Amino acid sequence: MDVTVQFAIVFSALIHDLDHTGVSNFQLIKEGARIAALYDNKSVAEQNSVDLAWQLLTSPEYSDLLHAICATDDDYRRFRQLVVNAVLATDIFDKELVEFRNNRWKRAFHPDHASEHDDLDLKATIVLEHIIQTSDVGHTMQHWHMYQKWNQRLFFEMYEAYLNGRGDKDPSLGWYKGEMWFFDNYVIPLGKKLKECKVFGVASDECLNYALQNRKEWEEKGEAIVEDLVQKYKSQYQTEDDQPMSSRTRSSKGSEEDV
């Protein structure tokens, strides 16, 4: 793996959630957000993150850094494509993208589907995507206390959005089953692919093992944890009149939709 690819991975990991508003692409599309229309309702948050990061990277103050990364026009095009592919790989709910990536996996890592000519390039692309996907959900593949730390932060973010009218359903009602689904249909299959392609060497086994352990512990404790998360949110962030934190911190000139 050459230095351009290595830096593209680090850069993508740094910028892949840039300007994220705490709601899903589905919600942004439903709200008719400006960026939803701009990106034709496709990988909305991900494309926005890439564009904002690219504007910053190509600004005059970072010209030396950009030149160090991309000495030629070919280097520039290659680096940008690597970053775009990596960040878009974190959109795991676009069915077309998911099917496309799964088909590429079959061609690259199963002999019946791959040829010697395209095998190396396919594997390199897929490894890059799996590294960034792992960084995106890395908390699920680490020790239980780390998983719980970031699971709580994500829950608070989603619960806050719901209380502010940016969601149809109370996330606490489906959080337990949602996490079970996520482990079974995304995290554990991802861990198995990491093990198969050996992208992290022996650490790939560790990622999968932690995912399996966390899934087991969540199955046993998750329902009680969700109840505790709701109470913890209310005790930390809500006032006596039961308003969400963001409503309390907004300007008094806000519209009726702010409360």
Side-chain angles (χ1 to χ4, degrees):
M1 188 180 293
D2 62 56
V3 293
T4 300
V5 175
Q6 292 179 34
F7 188 76
I9 293 171
V10 175
F11 185 77
S12 300
L14 286 171
I15 63 100
H16 80 279
D17 270 339
L18 178 63
D19 197 42
H20 201 291
T21 58
V23 296
S24 66
N25 284 336
F26 176 80
Q27 184 64 30
L28 292 172
I29 294 168
K30 181 180 178 181
E31 293 175 354
R34 178 190 62 82
I35 58 174
L38 179 62
Y39 300 116
D40 197 26
N41 297 338
K42 289 287 188 180
S43 302
V44 176
E46 294 79 12
Q47 290 200 73
N48 181 57
S49 295
V50 171
D51 280 354
L52 290 178
W54 209 256
Q55 289 173 23
L56 185 61
L57 180 63
T58 56
S59 64
E61 61 184 309
Y62 290 107
S63 59
D64 290 343
L65 173 61
L66 182 61
H67 182 72
I69 301 168
C70 311
T72 67
D73 289 343
D74 286 343
D75 291 340
Y76 179 91
R77 285 190 289 270
R78 180 174 180 242
F79 179 71
R80 177 172 171 80
Q81 192 60 57
L82 286 168
V83 172
V84 170
N85 286 347
V87 175
L88 291 189
T90 63
D91 182 359
I92 63 174
F93 294 108
D94 185 304
K95 293 181 179 179
E96 291 181 5
L97 284 177
V98 170
E99 182 178 3
F100 176 70
R101 288 193 292 264
N102 286 339
N103 288 334
R104 282 197 309 185
W105 173 272
K106 292 177 182 178
R107 293 203 310 271
F109 288 96
H110 295 273
D112 292 342
H113 297 84
S115 67
E116 292 183 3
H117 182 267
D118 65 4
D119 182 72
L120 186 59
D121 286 342
L122 273 175
K123 285 185 176 180
T125 300
I126 291 170
V127 165
L128 172 63
E129 291 177 350
H130 279 66
I131 289 174
I132 194 69
Q133 286 174 346
T134 304
S135 74
D136 191 36
V137 298
H139 65 292
T140 64
M141 300 182 184
Q142 298 180 55
H143 191 276
W144 171 256
H145 79 273
M146 188 62 68
Y147 163 58
Q148 283 304 289
K149 173 183 177 180
W150 292 99
N151 184 50
Q152 173 179 299
R153 293 186 178 190
L154 178 60
F155 176 82
F156 281 4
E157 182 177 82
M158 300 295 287
Y159 197 63
E160 176 78 9
Y162 165 71
L163 293 176
N164 282 292
R166 304 192 73 189
D168 295 329
K169 298 180 180 179
D170 179 347
S172 67
L173 301 179
W175 200 263
Y176 171 74
K177 290 183 178 180
E179 286 294 285
M180 292 293 293
W181 182 94
F182 193 52
F183 273 114
D184 290 341
N185 293 278
Y186 185 73
V187 176
I188 292 174
L190 176 60
K192 290 178 178 178
K193 287 181 177 179
L194 292 177
K195 183 177 181 179
E196 183 177 349
C197 69
K198 298 179 174 60
V199 62
F200 293 137
V202 294
S204 299
D205 290 341
E206 185 175 281
C207 290
L208 177 58
N209 289 337
Y210 271 130
L212 291 169
Q213 291 171 15
N214 288 336
R215 193 264 186 212
K216 183 176 184 297
E217 196 155 358
W218 179 260
E219 183 177 20
E220 297 171 354
K221 303 176 181 178
E223 291 178 307
I225 289 173
V226 173
E227 292 181 7
D228 182 64
L229 287 175
V230 174
Q231 295 305 314
K232 188 177 293 186
Y233 177 91
K234 291 179 178 179
S235 66
Q236 290 184 13
Y237 298 124
Q238 289 191 326
T239 60
E240 293 180 359
D241 60 358
D242 207 37
Q243 292 294 329
M245 181 182 179
S246 60
S247 297
R248 291 186 282 112
T249 57
R250 289 194 180 98
S251 167
S252 60
K253 296 180 180 180
S255 69
E256 290 182 1
E257 295 180 351
D258 290 340
V259 296

